Amino acid sequence: MDFVHDQLACERKFRVLTVIDQWSRESVLLEASFSLTGQCVVDALQALSLHRSLPKAITVGHGTEFTSKSLDEWAWNRGLKLDFIRPGKPTEYAFIESFNGRLRDECLNVNESASLDHARATLKAWQDDYNQRRPHGSFGHLTPREFAMQGRETASKTARLQFKGVEKPD
């Protein structure tokens, strides 16, 4: 989880909260706003958790939004670990840094938005393309979404096989 900064055509600055799944490389959240506080991060993650299971840990930097009391409390209440990178060690953040570079090069730097709603729509379209139409060589040329779906199917089959081997108690 990290932030990217940009500005509208009128030069008003906005931020984008970026969240990726480190296993599947799926972009699971792009939240754009003029101000993103720790509570805004909590609200975005809570909304995400309504349709996607939460991980055991989230890798974050040391920004005030990530060290906020509200995010710490929210994570603690869900048994979720905030895994802070070591200061000055961006390589511990490699997947999100790489993703943010792509987002900037392929979306933010080539599109000018007149409004925050326009920026959000542009980000959503780019996110859909990234997740559903871009194969990754490291995944056998599957897209992040296909790789994630394949992983969920494998986990489901494994769970069914394990359940099948368990005797039913009387």
Side-chain angles (χ1 to χ4, degrees), residues 36-147:
L36 286 167
T37 64
Q39 187 58 51
C40 293
V41 171
V42 166
D43 294 343
L45 292 173
Q46 184 60 35
L48 179 65
S49 75
L50 297 176
H51 57 88
R52 186 179 185 99
S53 60
L54 294 170
K56 293 179 181 178
I58 298 177
T59 305
V60 295
H62 291 273
T64 56
E65 303 84 3
F66 300 144
T67 59
S68 72
K69 197 178 225 180
S70 55
L71 182 60
D72 185 54
E73 183 178 317
W74 180 83
W76 174 263
N77 289 334
R78 282 151 189 79
L80 196 145
K81 179 183 177 197
L82 294 177
D83 187 16
F84 290 93
I85 64 167
R86 290 178 293 168
K89 300 289 185 185
T91 55
E92 294 178 1
Y93 223 26
F95 293 131
I96 195 75
E97 291 291 343
S98 174
F99 174 82
N100 286 348
R102 267 195 195 94
L103 174 64
R104 175 155 304 290
D105 291 345
E106 298 172 5
C107 181
L108 298 173
N109 287 349
V110 296
N111 294 292
E112 186 172 61
S113 297
S115 68
L116 192 56
D117 286 338
H118 182 248
R120 288 176 178 146
T122 302
L123 287 163
K124 177 71 175 131
W126 185 86
Q127 181 183 37
D128 289 345
D129 180 68
Y130 178 86
N131 285 335
Q132 298 176 33
R133 295 185 226 2
R134 299 224 191 145
H136 288 229
S138 60
F139 297 152
H141 299 289
L142 297 174
T143 66
R145 181 77 33 88
E146 291 168 334
F147 184 76

